[in-house]
Amino acid sequence: MSSLSMADLDFDPAWWYAQVHPHRYGLLGGSLLAIFFNAMARAHPDTRRTVKGIPIYIYAVAMIFQVVVFLPTAYCAWQRWAWNPEWMKEGWTTSPGWTKISPMHERKRYERLYLYALWGYMIKDMWIFRRDFLFFAHHLVCLFGILAFFAVPAGVGCFVVGATVLELGNFTFNLALLAGKDSSPDVPREIKHAFEYLYHVCMPLSNAIGAAMFAWFSQFPKLKGTVWVYCLGVAWFSLIAGREAVHLRRSVPYFRAERRRKADLARRNEEAKKIKEYEEHREEDAAEKAAEIEKAMENYKEAKGMDPQTVKQ
């Protein structure tokens, strides 16, 4: 195992600058485009209505990034190498079948685009949530993590796929916020429950896959036992722990309440069923007694030699 030292991260400002500098225009472009998308999305007054204190346009732009930008880019990056898992282990200067290439080489195009988009995705909301400590801190950690992945010696593809998995979990969270238990009364209960259930299943699944991928990432030959794993691991698992804490705070009370509601509904239905059966029995008993009385009257009149129909009239 490699010895642990700060040298593993090459804490030399000139070295770090050299790793990030080629990407400066991509990072700037990603930031400007993401801010532009925010500005366009908030142009209509309706999109500035808030859900849980956050404008609707923030959710809309986030969900577009998650399913229209991150997922297709990750798909293209991996599909380009015929789904070869070795691609996930590569760094910026290596590629399947190539031993030494430039980080700006065409073979790294999708990986670069992914990180530029992810950077802009984080940057676009920093000013908006500058007073929200947890949100701001979360995005700041992510930004430092993105910069670190421009210098990481291996595992770029693993990060691309792992980050996409986590963002898809976030996508279900956004759906739950927009159309889940706290959404408009106009949203049918069945729809609210479906989105809450989707989030309840997908968020922990996303976290579990993300954690498993980092565990695999930590065993890559150029990373195993290095400070890279420990520093990035603290950030990665802190984010996952925060996500899961939010999930548990939302889903556990909701599904407990749902179980109580269903139990109460079942109890009320059972009580209503018993009352209905009782009323039906009463009606049946009353009908039977009326029939018995009528029969007794007919028998009595017949015994007296009278026509029962005449008696009825």
Side-chain angles (χ1 to χ4, degrees), residues 176-189:
L177 290 174
L178 289 175
K181 64 184 181 69
D182 301 318
S183 61
S184 166
D186 296 332
V187 179
R189 173 181 287 276

Side-chain angles (χ1 to χ4, degrees), residues 112-232:
R112 291 195 307 272
L113 290 175
Y114 187 94
L115 266 70
Y116 298 160
L118 188 60
W119 174 270
Y121 175 71
M122 298 297 169
I123 285 288
K124 68 182 175 61
D125 298 328
M126 293 293 280
W127 175 257
I128 298 171
F129 294 101
R130 62 192 180 280
R131 295 188 179 90
D132 186 328
F133 174 77
L134 289 178
F135 193 99
F136 191 88
H138 167 273
H139 276 40
L140 196 62
V141 169
C142 291
L143 289 172
F144 278 111
I146 293 167
L147 292 179
F149 270 97
F150 280 118
V152 73
V156 176
C158 189
F159 172 74
V160 168
V161 175
T164 302
V165 169
L166 296 184
E167 285 301 331
L168 290 177
N170 288 341
F171 178 77
T172 65
F173 181 47
N174 290 333
L175 286 176
L177 290 174
L178 289 175
K181 64 184 181 69
D182 301 318
S183 61
S184 166
D186 296 332
V187 179
R189 173 181 287 276
E190 294 77 9
I191 298 297
K192 293 183 177 184
H193 183 72
F195 282 129
E196 290 293 341
Y197 189 80
L198 181 69
Y199 169 64
H200 179 59
V201 171
C202 293
M203 180 54 80
L205 180 62
S206 165
N207 290 335
I209 294 174
M213 291 195 70
F214 192 91
W216 183 42
F217 170 89
S218 70
Q219 300 303 304
F220 292 169
K222 294 181 181 179
L223 297 171
K224 187 176 181 179
T226 67
V227 177
W228 280 108
V229 169
Y230 292 93
C231 290
L232 292 174

Side-chain angles (χ1 to χ4, degrees), residues 246-304:
V246 171
H247 162 248
L248 293 175
R249 283 199 301 268
R250 182 182 182 91
S251 287
V252 171
Y254 170 77
F255 282 100
R256 282 178 178 170
E258 275 294 295
R259 283 194 293 272
R260 288 195 297 269
R261 185 186 69 82
K262 289 180 179 180
D264 290 342
L265 181 61
R267 177 178 53 79
R268 289 196 299 270
N269 288 340
E270 186 63 25
E271 291 174 352
K273 181 180 177 181
K274 289 180 179 178
I275 291 172
K276 184 178 180 181
E277 289 176 351
Y278 172 75
E279 294 293 339
E280 289 175 349
H281 286 317
R282 284 185 58 186
E283 292 175 359
E284 289 174 359
D285 291 343
E288 288 177 0
K289 288 180 180 179
E292 290 174 0
I293 292 172
E294 185 175 356
K295 183 66 175 177
M297 288 179 63
E298 291 176 354
N299 292 338
Y300 175 78
K301 298 303 180 182
E302 287 177 357
K304 296 291 186 178

